[in-house]
Amino acid sequence: MSTPPILCFGEALIDFHAEGSDGSGFAPQFVPFAGGAPANVAVAAARLGGTARFAGMLSQDRFGDFLLDSLRHAGVGTDDVARTDAANTALAFVTLDAHGERSFSFYREHTADLLFRPAHFRADTFRDIEVFHVCSNSMTDPALAATTREGMQRAHGTGALVSFDLNLRPALWPAGTDPQLLLWPALHLADVVKLSAEEFAWLAVDGEQAALDRLWLGRTRLVVVTDGAKPLRWFHPDADGELPCYPVDVVDSTAAGDAFVGGLLCCLAELAAGPDRLDQLVTELPRLHAMLRFAAACGALTVTRQGSFAAMPHGDEVLAFMEQQA
């Protein structure tokens, strides 16, 4: 699958995955994997055969070198990566339960990814992209949140589709901060919004329909809600539906949502489904369902493997998996 460029903006970090147990519930060792939600999406798209680029700030430390090499090795374009020696790379320690569900401990104060500013976007960054993708982890700092919103607006200016994965990590937000105050302005700038079931419930404090009605006040035309192995749900101002997902044995759920988003964005980019075409796309249910099934298969395959970048499947694997499941 070859697509026009998908540009993913935000954080790249090191996921340290726990291995083994000392009998007291503590892991005797942690193994480093390249990760970070928008970086994962870029890798997912590239592995599927799409054209993907990553924009963000990497440290000049050894972990920053590792992330840059990992992005390039995965086929992700790095022309929009900036480097700094003023801060270190963010770290996340990942612990899995018996069902492969992950929990995080973050070390992300004054880290490199927080230092990207509008001046770091190249003059040509947004010129040829089909999709611009961000998530909420670049909204936790006010200056970076403003940069993220400016990127979304620049993408609108070139006619690109803007995608937002809430991917909420409460531990990353400063104490006493209400994330919704910073997140809703960004949500209103997104054409496509991806939520987990828990995130949808978090947004829907006044009910699901109230949350959807608030999203429709902005640019959003397609909302997709995933819930692990349970059916996924999709919403448009004039339609909605649900689709079953693929049952698999879960090894590591860390990057499942990012793989799903990467698959969906590859499909949208391949169709050149810009903001003006989203309404038409939703009326073509077979095509919409095919895209969502492909994205679900990407997520399902990813949870059968450990890691983030390392877990992302190739396009031929996804198609073979879907044929087996059919």
Side-chain angles (χ1 to χ4, degrees):
M1 170 184 300
S2 179
T3 66
I6 298 166
L7 177 63
C8 300
F9 171 73
E11 82 282 0
L13 50 76
I14 303 297
D15 287 328
F16 281 95
H17 285 249
E19 285 204 350
S21 174
D22 64 359
S24 302
F26 295 98
Q29 61 183 358
F30 286 82
V31 178
F33 288 87
N40 291 340
V41 173
V43 170
R47 286 267 176 82
L48 293 170
T51 304
R53 303 205 314 262
F54 175 75
M57 183 69 75
L58 298 183
S59 175
Q60 292 282 9
D61 63 15
R62 291 297 300 275
F63 286 138
D65 294 341
F66 173 61
L67 288 167
L68 188 63
D69 289 345
S70 297
L71 286 165
R72 289 172 173 168
H73 182 72
V76 175
T78 57
D79 288 347
D80 300 287
V81 169
R83 304 292 300 270
T84 181
D85 59 5
N88 292 328
T89 299
L91 310 177
F93 288 82
V94 185
T95 304
L96 303 175
D97 66 18
H99 304 289
E101 292 299 325
R102 73 280 188 272
S103 58
F104 297 94
S105 294
F106 291 101
Y107 291 79
R108 197 195 178 212
E109 290 190 14
H110 312 297
T111 51
D113 61 294
L114 300 174
L115 301 182
F116 197 99
R117 297 293 179 265
H120 294 121
F121 287 123
R122 295 181 302 116
D124 292 337
T125 290
F126 298 93
R127 182 176 58 83
D128 62 345
I129 63 170
E130 189 71 35
V131 178
F132 182 63
H133 174 72
V134 301
C135 77
S136 71
N137 295 339
S138 62
M139 309 297 297
T140 60
D141 171 82
L144 185 58
T147 301
T148 305
R149 292 192 299 270
E150 178 161 336
M152 298 169 85
Q153 290 163 343
R154 290 191 191 185
H156 292 155
T158 63
L161 187 80
V162 174
S163 163
F164 190 96
D165 180 4
L166 191 57
N167 196 46
L168 186 67
R169 300 287 179 262
L172 292 178
W173 291 81
T177 301
D178 180 1
Q180 295 210 21
L181 295 178
L182 281 173
L183 290 176
W184 273 106
L187 287 165
H188 281 151
L189 292 172
D191 302 295
V192 176
V193 172
K194 153 68 171 68
L195 305 169
S196 69
E198 293 82 4
E199 291 160 353
F200 192 22
W202 180 79
L203 281 181
V205 290
D206 297 318
E208 290 186 354
Q209 191 56 53
L212 290 168
D213 289 342
R214 188 173 179 182
L215 282 166
W216 307 146
L217 293 175
R219 293 179 58 97
T220 308
R221 308 304 289 169
L222 178 64
V223 175
V224 181
V225 180
T226 59
D227 192 9
K230 297 178 182 178
L232 66 85
R233 304 162 69 193
W234 62 266
F235 301 89
H236 175 271
D238 300 320
D240 60 77
E242 66 175 44
L243 286 172
C245 289
Y246 298 95
V248 292
D249 294 327
V250 178
V251 172
D252 182 352
S253 64
T254 302
D258 303 326
F260 180 97
V261 172
L264 178 60
L265 296 187
C266 272
C267 293
L268 289 169
E270 186 180 35
L271 292 172
D276 296 337
R277 290 196 60 202
L278 270 184
D279 288 320
Q280 176 188 348
L281 177 66
V282 174
T283 67
E284 301 170 356
L285 287 184
R287 179 171 288 180
L288 175 64
H289 289 174
M291 290 194 304
L292 293 174
R293 288 193 184 98
F294 181 82
C298 293
L301 269 176
T302 298
V303 303
T304 65
R305 307 163 178 176
Q306 188 179 23
S308 299
F309 288 15
M312 299 300 177
H314 293 274
D316 54 354
E317 293 180 272
V318 177
L319 295 177
F321 172 80
M322 292 177 71
E323 187 171 334
Q324 292 168 358
Q325 294 293 320

